[in-house]
Amino acid sequence: MSKIIVALDFNQFEEAKQLIDKTKDLIEYYKVGLESYISCGEKLLNYIQEQGKKIFLDLKFHDIPNTVSSATVASLKYNVDIVNMHTQGGIEMMSNTVKMVTDYCNAKNIKKPKIIGVTLLTSLDLDYMKNHRINFDSTEEYVLHLARNAKISGLDGVVSSPKETVIIKENLGKDFITITPGIRPAYEQLGDQKRVMTPKEAKITGTDFMVIGRPITKAADPQKAVLNILEELND
Ligand code: C5P
């Protein structure tokens, strides 16, 4: 069963708090990304934890191996359940981070978070790849290549478009986690997302987690928006 992760893209703690309060009876996972982390990170992460909810810290690290592994270890103080980095940062960056985090968690006897790699952002497409001379014939092939590197490096799974879930699961195994943004109910605007699917379509692909932001956070009634999506998923 695919789980929903609500993307808390806010620049004010109060707005994020209100959204959590309105949806927490229906939602288990919240995602804190760059905007909310920079605006009110510590306060928000503590609040999510106090509500007994799970945290996806979506800071998409991409730097030299030492910096990314140290930053990921530093993020463990927030009891995060999922952390991530860009697979485009390379195998050494990813595997170094897995080792540092695993060693730290073993030494402190704490639960290791799921370490996830971002493949190709769902706002990017073949035009972007051509422009950057990325030599794959399709976004699917490039995403699979990045996902394979993530698996070789010991990551638990990847972020990708729901359009790539099937090919990832077929090639890298059902247990390799997929987290898929780019989810839009049929009645919603695409915004800046390009490689999208409806919640129902994404569920059929077998994805583990769907990240949903604006269709819930910008809704006049966020609780109703979640209920509508859950209804679509359980149909
Ligand atoms: O509002 P929307 O549903 O488009 O939000 C999607 C969320 O998922 C945003 O927080 C965005 O940063 C994140 N994300 C994404 N594409 C990725 C990785 C993360 O859209 N590949």
Side-chain angles (χ1 to χ4, degrees):
M1 178 66 188
S2 321
K3 293 188 168 174
I4 295 178
I5 302 176
V6 174
L8 294 171
D9 293 323
F10 293 105
N11 59 18
Q12 303 285 334
F13 171 73
E14 274 310 313
E15 287 179 35
K17 177 181 179 298
Q18 271 179 32
L19 199 278
I20 295 168
D21 293 344
K22 283 180 187 156
T23 55
K24 66 184 176 190
D25 292 343
L26 303 165
I27 295 293
E28 185 186 358
Y29 282 85
Y30 289 95
K31 180 173 90 67
V32 174
L34 289 170
E35 184 183 9
S36 43
Y37 183 75
I38 291 169
S39 310
C40 52
E42 184 146 17
K43 200 170 171 188
L44 181 56
L45 291 164
N46 289 337
Y47 186 72
I48 299 171
Q49 244 191 72
E50 283 159 23
Q51 307 311 304
K53 299 295 166 186
K54 295 190 167 148
I55 297 171
F56 172 14
L57 187 62
D58 177 30
L59 298 182
K60 299 190 182 70
F61 294 136
H62 188 171
D63 210 314
I64 57 171
N66 182 57
T67 303
V68 170
S69 49
S70 306
T72 311
V73 168
S75 74
L76 300 178
K77 73 171 176 171
Y78 295 118
N79 270 329
V80 288
D81 292 279
I82 307 175
V83 291
N84 67 0
M85 69 199 70
H86 274 285
T87 53
Q88 283 155 324
I91 289 178
E92 191 189 340
M93 182 199 80
M94 292 188 278
S95 51
N96 213 36
T97 303
V98 171
K99 183 175 180 336
M100 290 260 297
V101 170
T102 307
D103 288 353
Y104 183 90
C105 291
N106 287 340
K108 300 272 175 196
N109 202 18
I110 54 175
K111 192 170 165 250
K112 184 179 112 6
K114 291 183 174 55
I115 309 178
I116 301 292
V118 179
T119 56
L120 182 66
L121 294 170
T122 43
S123 55
L124 302 177
D125 58 14
L126 207 52
D127 285 343
Y128 163 89
M129 287 170 52
K130 283 189 184 142
N131 190 265
H132 286 76
R133 308 284 190 273
I134 296 171
N135 205 12
F136 287 88
D137 291 334
S138 65
T139 51
E140 286 78 8
E141 281 174 56
Y142 183 43
V143 167
L144 184 58
H145 167 74
L146 293 170
R148 194 169 271 128
N149 282 351
K151 185 155 187 194
I152 291 167
S153 307
L155 263 58
D156 298 296
V158 286
V159 179
S160 72
S161 139
K163 291 186 185 291
E164 291 114 24
T165 305
V166 172
I167 191 175
I168 290 170
K169 296 272 186 192
E170 270 174 13
N171 284 275
L172 303 178
K174 274 204 160 55
D175 292 342
F176 194 61
I177 296 167
T178 54
I179 301 184
T180 49
I183 306 291
R184 287 290 177 274
Y187 45 84
E188 283 283 345
Q189 311 251 339
L190 293 192
D192 52 359
Q193 297 286 15
K194 294 201 172 101
R195 296 167 19 249
V196 299
M197 273 192 186
T198 65
K200 183 88 185 208
E201 288 168 340
K203 179 188 166 188
I204 292 167
T205 68
T207 195
D208 300 287
F209 295 95
M210 302 183 191
V211 176
I212 310 183
R214 286 161 290 184
I216 294 171
T217 56
K218 301 281 183 230
D221 183 345
Q223 193 183 36
K224 182 88 193 342
V226 175
L227 282 170
N228 286 344
I229 292 167
L230 290 174
E231 200 172 296
E232 177 179 334
L233 290 174
N234 295 328
D235 214 14

